Amino acid sequence: MFDVHEMEINFGPQHPSTHGVLRVLLSVDGERIINAKPVIGYLHRGTEKLFEHMAYPQCVPHTDRMDYVASATNNLGFVEAVEKLMGVTAQIPKRAQLMRVILSELQRISSHLLWLATHAIDIGAMTPFFYCFREREQILDLFENYCGARLTLNCMRIGGMPDDLPPGWLDDLEEFTGKFDAAVDEYESLLTNNRIWKRRTVGIGVISPEEAIEWGVTGPPLRGSGVNWDLRKALPYECYSELDFEVPLGINGDTYDRYLCRMAEMRQSNRILKQCIPMINATPAGDIKAKISRVVRPPEGEVYHSIESPKGELGYYIIADGKSTNAYRCHVRPPSFVNLQALPAMAKGHLVADLVALIGTIDIVLGEVDR
Amino acid sequence: MTQALLMRYLLWPLVKFLGAFIVVQAIVAAMNWVERRLLGLIQARLGPNRVGWHGLLQIVADPIKFLLKEDIVPSSSEKVAYFLGPMLPLIPTFMVYCLIPFGPPPMFIAARVNVALLLVLALTSTGVYGIILGGWASNNKYSLMGGLRSAAQMVSYEVPFGLSIVGVLMICGSLDLVRIVDYQANNAWNLFPQIVAFFIFFVSMNAENNRTPFDLPEAESELVAGYHTEYSAMKFAFFMLAEYSAMIVNSCLVTLLFLGGWTMAIDGKGLTTQQLVSMGVLGGIIGLAIFLTKMMFFMFVYIWFRATFPRFRFDQLMDLGWKWMIPLALGNIVVTGVFVLIGQERLMYWIGLATLGAIGFHIFRKPVPAVKAKTAHEVAHAS
């Protein structure tokens, strides 16, 4: 009866809320999304290929540039994979392990803070952005005091850590952990029980547990659907098995549950940090490196090692030929890339305004998607 | 004789209009600074504080920047409509300044019209044409969506906006803004008998002005910049000017209709219009100050809202407008009608006061605990 035209919209790559250079090809009927097709690759840098031409230690700074808002966890995944390939995982001193855990958990908090800030501003609440950045700034200051960098940390080495913690660093950390729970309360007082926030997030982009597993979704989007899968618990690395923390799970698998999960995860990360401080004080200072040869030349073989990055399962697959000091092949399984697959299914039938909330809730970083 | 007439009907109103225009435009420019500083205060940051004392010269720096920027016209735009877009919303908002009494008459009103309220409503609602036209003429899909959203939003909220005023009119029995204010000075603020209407008016006024949480037409995170995506330099500034002018007009309206305008009196006691007029120039200044204070309070609430709320989604906005506000406004008219019919307007004041008290009690019942929100593992089972 009526001649209905779908409108094609290029959502991105230059759009304020696609979190980088994601481009989504939208077919909309009015404002209702008929089809959403993510187009990626605008930030492709050939990182994996680069890894084949660099000695293993040289690769570490390049891992920073993948998930550039969570570089410590990227470092961790890579150095652990190489250590596993070399078979020296057990030799890493306790102090180095704890330092890695502290840095990763700080990184998790800072990544989640960035997510909350942008997610909230995408849905139109602008104040949480500044509150989140206030705390994130303190974390970045901690990073700077440790390794001199704030964003691309390059803070881990194969076999241990580059430097011991500077004097007074743990006191600063303790001060931060003491204040952080109250800060999370503050964010939640702005959003959690806010009616408009709930209307914008409850029931939006529902993924059932089965679908989530089928899509290969990991991290908070998976746990928001109620699947209890956190690599820190499921396949513990470093000294996570000695630490006491819970894995927050959602029920409905909607944007609101994923929001709750991440908020609770920040509290749990803070709990881990609090436990780490007395533990690291008990270890001898300076004992931060395993005794491995300077030239990293793993034996012939292959390894897949994954860790729980803030965004999900971050895996490194490395093939070594046993002769050279660089990898024969290195493949990265970035969580953002895999989680992004679920976007079209999640977005179908929602409004354009919801697409923004969905991109936010998946928490993608394009550096990682495109590598 | 002719000279006196000319003086009375042309020159004098023109001077008064210019006065109002300049004052309001100054407030608009100042609001830009006030808003950014206030937002900064709320959001734990500073806001503009570089140019001049506490950044006050920002008020001057912004227009200079807007004037000097390149005025980009998209090659595929509909030229005439594209030029008209930013101008159209300005004209009605400027015209409205003639009709609004900023202080005790006859000094602070350019043109006293006996149907002023109706005229104000008619003029302000035409502001949307510019937005629609601008959004469409830009030939950009985001702009178009912004324009369409704006059209739907304005049409939907114009209805409760208008309906909420009916109750006030029934009580005051006049469309003349001066008489509405006088009625309030001789009785009490319309806020009390018309508490429901006040809230409806206030919410729809937010929606009319495209302010958070109803800023869907420009929705930065969704539509880039909505209807003014393709506008730059002074054309963009005109849209902003129109928005802030409309905000001031609406703040003036809510002050006049519900908060007793320039008077500060209950039951004819206190600073009524007669009292202020008898005090001469000083009375005029006091009246103006009272009026501006009340108006600025609402401007502050606009900014406060912007800092606090997320944005509604389009369908939710329509839900709120059509399913809640319009029935509520209609119900308010019926209830007010019944009270007026049985001659018990006074009873409404007490009911309104009780409602306000109840709201206050609900808010301040206990020191509001920092919402110890349910963490996710309370929502679900933990590992």
Side-chain angles (χ1 to χ4, degrees):
Chain A
M1 200 160 79
F2 297 109
D3 187 18
V4 181
H5 282 289
E6 291 171 16
M7 184 156 73
E8 291 272 328
I9 296 184
N10 255 325
F11 200 81
Q14 281 148 335
H15 186 280
S17 52
T18 51
H19 295 209
V21 286
L22 173 68
R23 173 176 169 215
V24 186
L25 270 174
L26 285 182
S27 318
V28 288
D29 175 13
E31 291 222 11
R32 203 160 285 282
I33 297 168
I34 296 167
N35 205 6
K37 184 173 164 236
V39 181
I40 58 170
Y42 291 90
L43 208 58
H44 179 64
R45 279 177 292 200
T47 310
E48 290 173 3
K49 191 72 185 166
L50 278 173
F51 284 174
E52 294 171 17
H53 300 279
M54 270 182 286
Y56 291 96
Q58 288 179 309
C59 297
V60 179
H62 282 273
T63 62
D64 285 343
R65 273 83 186 162
M66 289 194 298
D67 183 355
Y68 43 78
V69 298
S71 49
T73 44
N74 287 8
N75 295 163
L76 182 70
F78 183 77
V79 296
E80 275 188 3
V82 180
E83 282 160 9
K84 198 168 170 184
L85 193 57
M86 294 164 76
V88 296
T89 308
Q91 293 172 35
I92 309 298
K94 188 69 186 288
R95 190 173 175 88
Q97 287 191 15
L98 281 164
M99 280 168 70
R100 285 177 177 183
V101 170
I102 288 173
L103 287 171
S104 328
E105 291 310 313
L106 278 176
Q107 191 73 80
R108 191 181 316 280
I109 292 175
S110 94
S111 170
H112 280 1
L113 283 178
L114 188 80
W115 157 79
L116 178 63
T118 49
H119 190 39
I121 217 163
D122 286 350
I123 296 185
M126 78 194 285
T127 303
F129 184 88
F130 296 98
Y131 287 4
C132 290
F133 267 55
R134 186 184 55 198
E135 268 70 46
R136 183 168 178 265
E137 203 64 16
Q138 293 172 7
I139 297 178
L140 297 190
D141 283 344
L142 281 170
F143 286 151
E144 190 177 8
N145 287 348
Y146 173 62
C147 62
R150 292 162 68 83
L151 209 59
T152 48
L153 301 180
N154 185 21
C155 64
M156 290 172 199
R157 298 286 180 272
I158 295 158
M161 299 296 283
D163 290 299
D164 203 3
L165 294 172
W169 197 85
L170 285 171
D171 300 333
D172 292 347
L173 178 66
E174 199 159 7
E175 196 193 326
F176 171 77
T177 54
K179 284 190 294 193
F180 185 66
D181 279 334
V184 182
D185 287 344
E186 196 178 16
Y187 316 142
E188 289 210 81
S189 68
L190 276 171
L191 297 174
T192 306
N193 289 333
N194 186 322
R195 287 210 172 181
I196 304 176
W197 180 260
K198 277 187 155 172
R199 284 186 121 187
R200 289 298 306 276
T201 52
V202 173
I204 304 299
V206 179
I207 327 179
S208 70
E210 295 77 28
E211 276 174 333
I213 293 169
E214 278 166 16
W215 284 111
V217 170
T218 50
L222 177 68
R223 293 192 286 275
S225 303
V227 181
N228 190 355
W229 180 255
D230 184 323
L231 288 170
R232 293 174 295 172
K233 285 271 187 205
L235 303 165
Y237 48 93
E238 302 296 349
C239 51
Y240 275 111
S241 49
E242 300 164 33
L243 295 162
D244 179 31
F245 64 98
E246 287 166 66
V247 180
L249 299 176
I251 299 173
N252 305 320
D254 58 8
T255 303
Y256 187 65
D257 275 20
R258 288 187 282 273
Y259 156 79
L260 285 177
C261 269
R262 287 197 176 95
M263 296 308 273
E265 261 179 39
M266 285 201 270
R267 292 178 197 276
Q268 294 300 328
S269 291
N270 198 33
R271 195 169 145 197
I272 296 175
L273 287 172
K274 280 179 182 162
Q275 293 167 39
C276 283
I277 295 169
M279 284 169 82
I280 199 162
N281 276 328
T283 55
D287 185 19
I288 52 161
K289 277 175 193 155
K291 291 196 170 46
I292 58 168
S293 86
R294 286 255 169 134
V295 181
V296 180
R297 190 178 287 139
E300 190 179 351
E302 57 187 271
V303 69
Y304 176 77
H305 181 71
S306 57
I307 61 153
E308 187 70 26
S309 92
K311 294 172 180 63
E313 178 181 340
L314 171 67
Y316 285 88
Y317 175 64
I318 301 173
I319 302 174
D321 56 8
K323 295 191 285 283
S324 65
T325 55
N326 41 14
Y328 176 75
R329 172 84 172 99
C330 179
H331 174 71
V332 186
R333 181 219 187 265
S336 298
F337 175 71
V338 183
N339 292 355
L340 187 60
Q341 292 184 100
L343 183 68
M346 283 159 87
K348 207 160 280 181
H350 284 307
L351 299 179
V352 173
D354 294 325
L355 179 74
V356 179
L358 290 175
I359 293 172
T361 194
I362 298 174
D363 191 15
I364 45 166
V365 164
L366 270 296
E368 189 178 62
V369 174
D370 296 339
R371 282 159 291 148
Chain B
M1 186 64 199
T2 337
Q3 257 187 342
L5 274 179
L6 211 66
M7 188 74 188
R8 177 147 180 231
Y9 288 109
L10 193 69
L11 217 58
W12 194 222
L14 209 64
V15 168
K16 283 199 279 193
F17 167 71
L18 270 180
F21 179 76
I22 290 167
V23 168
V24 171
Q25 287 315 301
I27 297 176
V28 168
M31 276 316 291
N32 186 20
W33 176 79
V34 171
E35 168 154 34
R36 286 155 78 182
R37 289 293 283 190
L38 260 176
L39 279 180
L41 194 71
I42 296 171
Q43 297 169 342
R45 64 194 172 92
L46 287 171
N49 68 344
R50 294 286 106 180
V51 202
W53 187 73
H54 282 271
L56 256 177
L57 283 182
Q58 195 73 41
I59 299 168
V60 187
D62 277 337
I64 292 175
K65 187 192 80 176
F66 279 130
L67 281 170
L68 295 180
K69 287 257 173 179
E70 188 190 350
D71 187 18
I72 301 163
V73 180
S75 54
S76 58
S77 66
E78 200 67 44
K79 295 292 182 304
V80 178
Y82 183 81
F83 277 100
L84 275 178
M87 322 274 168
L88 279 185
L90 278 177
I91 299 164
T93 29
F94 287 166
M95 278 163 80
V96 166
Y97 294 148
C98 298
L99 302 167
I100 286 180
F102 294 93
M107 184 60 205
F108 291 96
I109 176 166
R112 187 169 165 181
V113 184
N114 58 357
V115 287
L117 188 54
L118 214 54
L119 210 49
V120 169
L121 283 185
L123 285 172
T124 48
S125 53
T126 51
V128 68
Y129 286 114
I131 292 177
I132 301 172
L133 210 57
W136 170 76
S138 301
N139 199 5
N140 174 323
K141 284 165 184 170
Y142 289 119
S143 299
L144 182 66
M145 279 166 93
L148 287 175
R149 280 181 176 193
S150 183
Q153 182 172 329
M154 292 275 185
V155 169
S156 308
Y157 279 81
E158 201 67 45
V159 182
F161 191 74
L163 286 178
S164 66
I165 292 170
V166 175
V168 175
L169 300 182
M170 287 161 93
I171 288 182
C172 298
S174 176
L175 280 161
D176 184 353
L177 289 165
V178 178
R179 283 180 63 185
I180 291 175
V181 171
D182 279 345
Y183 180 89
Q184 293 178 64
N186 292 326
N187 293 282
W189 288 357
N190 278 335
L191 169 66
F192 303 114
Q194 288 295 317
I195 179 118
V196 179
F198 170 74
F199 280 113
I200 296 169
F201 186 86
F202 187 68
V203 173
S204 357
M205 153 182 146
N206 263 288
E208 286 267 299
N209 285 133
N210 304 331
R211 294 287 297 185
T212 316
F214 307 104
D215 58 341
L216 294 105
E218 43 180 294
E220 192 200 333
S221 53
E222 298 154 25
L223 301 183
V224 190
Y227 57 88
H228 57 63
T229 306
E230 298 287 353
Y231 283 95
S232 63
M234 218 44 208
K235 292 207 187 75
F236 167 75
F238 277 174
F239 273 128
M240 287 286 107
L241 207 62
E243 184 186 324
Y244 279 83
S245 302
M247 272 164 76
I248 288 178
V249 166
N250 281 347
S251 296
C252 290
L253 271 187
V254 75
T255 310
L256 289 169
L257 293 177
F258 294 98
L259 258 76
W262 58 85
T263 62
M264 205 66 178
I266 283 186
D267 210 11
K269 291 184 250 325
L271 295 169
T272 57
T273 309
Q274 290 83 9
Q275 192 77 25
L276 287 167
V277 170
S278 68
M279 282 158 80
V281 178
L282 181 70
I285 293 171
I286 294 176
L288 184 68
I290 294 173
F291 184 83
L292 288 183
T293 314
K294 289 174 182 172
M295 188 203 85
M296 286 312 276
F297 171 74
F298 285 101
M299 296 300 281
F300 166 70
V301 176
Y302 268 123
I303 296 166
W304 190 9
F305 271 23
R306 184 172 171 204
T308 313
F309 291 125
R311 188 181 304 118
F312 271 108
R313 206 175 60 202
F314 189 64
D315 55 330
Q316 294 166 348
L317 181 89
M318 291 291 137
D319 264 16
L320 186 72
W322 291 98
K323 290 191 192 155
W324 293 98
M325 311 266 283
I326 292 177
L328 253 177
L330 286 172
N332 182 58
I333 292 172
V334 172
V335 172
T336 312
V338 169
F339 274 100
V340 171
L341 199 66
I342 58 173
Q344 293 289 338
E345 286 105 320
R346 283 288 156 126
L347 191 60
M348 291 183 73
Y349 288 92
W350 295 114
I351 295 172
L353 203 60
T355 319
L356 269 182
I359 295 169
F361 179 74
H362 179 73
I363 295 172
F364 298 108
R365 191 175 24 180
K366 47 184 181 276
V368 183
V371 184
K372 194 70 187 167
K374 272 194 231 161
T375 51
H377 62 270
E378 280 167 16
V379 179
H381 47 102
S383 62

